[in-house]
Amino acid sequence: MIKERFFNKWVFLLLLSIPAIGIIFNEPYYITLATKVIILGIAGVGLNLALGYGGLISFGHAAFFGIGGYVAAIMSYHALNEELLFEIPLAISGSSEMLIIWPLAIVISAFFSLLIGLLSLRTSGVYFIMITLAFAQMLYYFSISWPSYGGEDGLSMHMRNTLPFINTMNPLNFFLICLAWFFIAIFITSKLINSPYGMALQATKQNEERVKSVGIETFKVKLIVFVFSGAITGLAGSLYADLNRFVSPSMLNWHTSGEIMVFVILGGIARLYGPLLGASFFIILEQTLGLYTENWQFWLGLILILEIIFARSGIMGLFDKKNKL
Amino acid sequence: MNNKILNITNLSKSFGAFKVTDEISIDLKFNEIHALIGPNGAGKSTLIKQIVGTVKHDMGSIILDQEDITDLNDVERAKIGISRTFQVSSIIPKFTALENIVLSLLERSQKTFQLFKSLNSNSKLFSEAKEILLQIELEDRRKVIASELSHGERRKLEVGLALAMKPKVFLFDEPMAGLDETGTKMMINLFQRIKLNSPILLIEHDMDAVFALADRVSVIVYGKIVASGTVKEIKANPIVHDVYLGYEIT
Ligand SMILES: Nc1ncnc2c1ncn2[C@@H]1O[C@H](COP(=O)(O)OP(=O)(O)OP(=O)(O)O)[C@@H](O)[C@H]1O
Ligand SMILES: [Mg+2]
């Protein structure tokens, strides 16, 4: 653990140095890139909770990422055109306040996680993978065919949502906001996995039959982690919408689910900071190899295969040999 | 009105046309060890699985402590006081011996759904778990990852997991299989003590252990109970001799 902590510090310092370089050389693009890494890292932290610690191989986390994104974009859209979002049963108007949008993104993605979890957690293994995928694809096709919010073309936001006293359009400010959320996500995750509940969760991953035999409702255990997981990934989605000031159905596409899963696996399953490392690595590959070849994902695939054969516990595992729970 | 804590009536289960348990009626009284013996494939483990609820029965009823639990699922049954060991050790491989026991304590101490409190701050859980490890003579192995425990140590841990639940009844599926002599002795002593709190339905192939421990013995063959009685009666029963052809019952 000492080694992993030490390593985490370095990753963190490196990440901070990127926006610093961006400022010094007046290249805001780097700041945006680092922000993207952080947000994708948050999405990965969310998935890691279910996949890494709970053993729930969800291939549908794009659903929550996309829901979070659309919440942010739709709210801001209605704030701009001053049309009501709903008239019945409550008159709800849009808002461009992040302080309203964030809780809403969390609650709505948690609600969808609960629904999807209730229906899919009765299954396991391949069936679970397929059902979560199917739910996410349903939402994907729904977003394509829903013309009010851009359909296939997606929905642009004319400006970033706002916070009191802070200019969110400033790249560095927005980077720091996302970084704060990243640490909140990490904090919640570490609280959860180190609690009695976390013990039940990690035991369920290893031997569900045994956990049931000592009287623990494993279904409830899994449902809770799935909801937290979906909510965190949903929040990441809303930040991602604000980063790009744009959402489109591609956020809900299975590619996105796959990418979030790649962050988790690359970084090291069930490692607290693994997803951040995975996301960094992914973006670095995209930014470097991507310059030379459009098929950079071929190399990513190769790396993944090598990892699965030789370094099961991901990049983190290379630095910290200690076997984790 | 009665001295039976577990009462099973006409429990049956078929896999296809094959009747694994055939109208089995068996009970457990307070403070007793009731041994269930029978040849391989007789349906002993399947009976346990039906009592704990992981195999759905086709017919019959199960009463635990005056309460009909026939319609409860496996987790609910475990919660209200049935705990079992597995014939093939089933533990949490990456947890230490101590953590395995703590897991088993969670539900009884209502900690399972403490989401944000640190597990390590629950020092009572850990001290209670250590006491249980003492009882099964694994205290000095508490920090060992369960998958690295020896076969015999895992058998003990199985029993420890059941003990931690403080159930109303124990169902032990060959707890002594593969244990050495000292291990078996330890188990015999342990069972004699714990049966005073919760009776034990004991499946065991080790006849010496069975005869040393059992207050009653039932013999199951092809899913049917063919004989039931005290150790003395069973030893004298000619049917049992036929079933255990070749085994010297002395
Ligand atoms: N799920 C199942 N499907 C089909 N047949 C099964 C199933 N489970 C058990 N059986 C069969 O039921 C019979 C009884 O099995 P069971 O495990 O209850 O025997 P047992 O008395 O515990 O034997 P042993 O002493 O070898 O442990 C065996 O013939 C077994 O093959
Ligand atoms: Mg058996």
Side-chain angles (χ1 to χ4, degrees):
Chain A
M1 271 317 278
I2 306 266
K3 265 193 163 171
E4 184 172 335
R5 276 210 189 125
F6 180 75
F7 189 63
N8 291 337
K9 259 185 210 150
W10 279 102
V11 174
F12 178 57
L13 283 178
L14 206 72
L15 257 171
L16 276 185
S17 72
I18 296 173
I21 293 169
I23 290 167
I24 294 165
F25 295 98
N26 198 16
E27 286 273 14
Y29 177 64
Y30 286 117
I31 305 178
T32 304
L33 215 55
T35 311
K36 186 173 170 186
V37 168
I38 297 272
I39 294 173
L40 297 179
I42 298 174
V45 168
L47 177 63
N48 197 25
L49 200 46
L51 189 153
Y53 297 100
L56 304 172
I57 307 175
S58 161
F59 201 8
H61 262 49
F64 313 125
F65 194 65
I67 286 169
Y70 270 93
V71 167
I74 290 173
M75 288 296 282
S76 111
Y77 173 78
H78 283 282
L80 181 68
N81 70 7
E82 291 174 355
E83 257 176 37
L84 288 182
L85 187 54
F86 293 111
E87 289 172 40
I88 311 162
L90 279 170
I92 294 176
S93 61
S95 167
S96 60
E97 282 294 333
M98 286 182 181
L99 291 179
I100 292 174
I101 288 168
W102 288 334
L104 206 62
I106 290 171
V107 167
I108 293 177
S109 41
F111 174 74
F112 273 88
S113 320
L114 183 71
L115 221 60
I116 294 178
L118 276 172
L119 294 166
S120 60
L121 286 168
R122 305 263 170 214
T123 66
S124 60
V126 178
Y127 299 101
F128 181 75
I129 299 176
M130 296 321 277
I131 288 190
T132 48
L133 171 66
F135 276 118
Q137 287 299 93
M138 266 169 58
L139 286 171
Y140 168 69
Y141 286 112
F142 177 74
S143 70
I144 285 185
S145 58
W146 197 20
S148 344
Y149 298 114
E152 211 168 345
D153 299 330
L155 185 62
S156 300
M157 297 153 69
H158 87 118
M159 59 178 279
R160 211 167 262 166
N161 292 308
T162 55
L163 272 182
F165 312 118
I166 297 173
N167 175 10
T168 56
M169 284 305 282
N170 175 310
L172 186 64
N173 287 350
F174 190 62
F175 172 82
L176 291 172
I177 291 168
C178 294
L179 194 65
W181 270 116
F182 175 78
F183 282 113
I184 292 172
I186 288 280
F187 177 75
I188 291 172
T189 304
S190 90
K191 277 282 176 198
L192 276 176
I193 60 174
N194 291 308
S195 69
Y197 164 77
M199 170 177 248
L201 175 69
Q202 290 166 81
T204 302
K205 175 187 175 185
Q206 295 174 51
N207 186 349
E208 180 167 1
E209 187 186 27
R210 173 39 98 184
V211 179
K212 280 182 171 178
S213 80
V214 298
I216 292 175
E217 305 268 9
T218 54
F219 181 76
K220 199 168 148 194
V221 168
K222 294 191 282 187
L223 189 59
I224 289 173
V225 83
F226 199 69
V227 170
F228 272 97
S229 170
I232 292 174
T233 301
L235 176 87
S238 80
L239 294 172
Y240 199 66
D242 263 326
L243 174 71
N244 301 320
R245 285 185 285 140
F246 174 68
V247 291
S248 76
S250 77
M251 271 180 94
L252 291 154
N253 194 328
W254 67 272
H255 284 149
T256 305
S257 295
E259 278 177 14
I260 302 174
M261 203 185 275
V262 167
F263 307 149
V264 174
I265 296 172
L266 261 184
I269 285 174
R271 302 275 183 172
L272 210 45
Y273 287 78
L276 181 65
L277 204 62
S280 316
F281 195 69
F282 186 92
I283 298 295
I284 291 170
L285 276 188
E286 184 188 60
Q287 295 294 318
T288 51
L289 281 179
L291 294 180
Y292 301 104
T293 163
E294 276 203 0
N295 303 319
W296 66 275
Q297 295 214 353
F298 167 81
W299 299 102
L300 175 70
L302 199 66
I303 289 169
L304 271 177
I305 291 169
L306 289 176
E307 176 190 323
I308 286 162
I309 297 174
F310 296 111
R312 270 293 179 77
S313 40
I315 306 175
M316 262 326 176
L318 292 176
F319 292 86
D320 176 25
K321 289 278 178 218
K322 188 167 176 277
N323 209 353
K324 274 208 62 192
L325 221 89
Chain B
M1 70 168 212
N2 75 42
N3 59 347
K4 291 169 185 166
I5 183 145
L6 181 68
N7 205 347
I8 287 154
T9 324
N10 291 336
L11 214 56
S12 300
K13 175 74 194 176
S14 304
F15 292 113
F18 175 44
K19 275 202 161 176
V20 193
T21 58
D22 193 356
E23 302 196 7
I24 290 190
S25 296
I26 195 168
D27 58 61
L28 263 181
K29 296 177 186 145
F30 289 102
N31 306 339
E32 78 164 346
I33 294 180
H34 188 159
L36 183 65
I37 62 173
N40 291 108
K44 304 180 295 294
S45 295
T46 308
L47 178 65
I48 287 213
K49 288 177 195 160
Q50 287 177 81
I51 302 174
V52 299
T54 54
V55 164
K56 297 276 164 288
H57 60 286
D58 301 330
M59 195 184 103
S61 73
I62 307 171
I63 313 275
L64 178 71
D65 203 8
Q66 328 274 352
E67 188 185 344
D68 190 334
I69 60 163
T70 317
D71 294 326
L72 300 187
N73 70 27
D74 51 345
V75 177
E76 290 160 339
R77 290 183 197 184
K79 268 195 211 173
I80 63 166
I82 296 186
S83 85
R84 56 97 59 110
T85 65
F86 291 80
Q87 181 169 356
V88 176
S89 297
S90 172
I91 44 177
I92 310 298
K94 293 183 186 171
F95 281 15
T96 62
L98 188 69
E99 287 167 339
N100 267 274
I101 302 287
V102 171
L103 177 77
S104 194
L105 289 169
L106 288 183
E107 200 51 44
R108 181 160 58 82
S109 42
Q110 301 186 322
K111 297 271 160 67
T112 311
F113 293 103
Q114 270 192 355
L115 300 191
F116 294 107
K117 199 170 171 235
S118 153
L119 174 68
N120 290 328
S121 69
N122 281 293
S123 52
K124 246 189 82 192
L125 278 180
F126 286 91
S127 57
E128 201 176 343
K130 272 183 204 155
E131 266 163 42
I132 287 174
L133 286 178
L134 270 174
Q135 289 187 50
I136 52 171
E137 294 180 2
L138 274 185
E139 222 270 333
D140 55 332
R141 304 282 282 160
R142 65 179 183 278
K143 287 182 181 155
V144 180
I145 302 290
S147 62
E148 286 163 14
L149 292 172
S150 72
H151 170 81
E153 288 167 338
R154 276 187 234 179
R155 298 310 291 159
K156 292 182 188 172
L157 190 56
E158 277 278 325
V159 173
L161 285 167
L163 279 182
M165 291 168 70
K166 289 219 173 109
K168 288 184 177 143
V169 297
F170 289 111
L171 312 176
F172 289 154
D173 199 347
E174 302 193 22
M176 289 147 188
L179 284 188
D180 61 10
E181 210 173 313
T182 41
T184 307
K185 262 195 197 130
M186 186 223 92
M187 288 285 193
I188 289 179
N189 285 330
L190 180 67
F191 292 177
Q192 266 158 351
R193 264 188 291 125
I194 63 177
K195 75 168 189 179
L196 301 176
N197 293 322
S198 315
I200 303 170
L201 182 65
L202 175 69
I203 294 176
E204 191 47 64
H205 277 305
D206 178 344
M207 287 305 149
D208 298 329
V210 167
F211 292 147
L213 275 171
D215 300 292
R216 275 194 294 163
V217 181
S218 293
V219 184
I220 175 174
V221 181
Y222 294 125
K224 274 189 190 296
I225 304 260
V226 296
S228 198
T230 63
V231 170
K232 217 169 156 193
E233 288 164 356
I234 290 298
K235 279 182 179 174
N237 189 323
I239 301 174
V240 181
H241 282 264
D242 286 347
V243 173
Y244 278 92
L245 224 57
Y247 181 83
E248 276 302 298
I249 296 178
T250 48

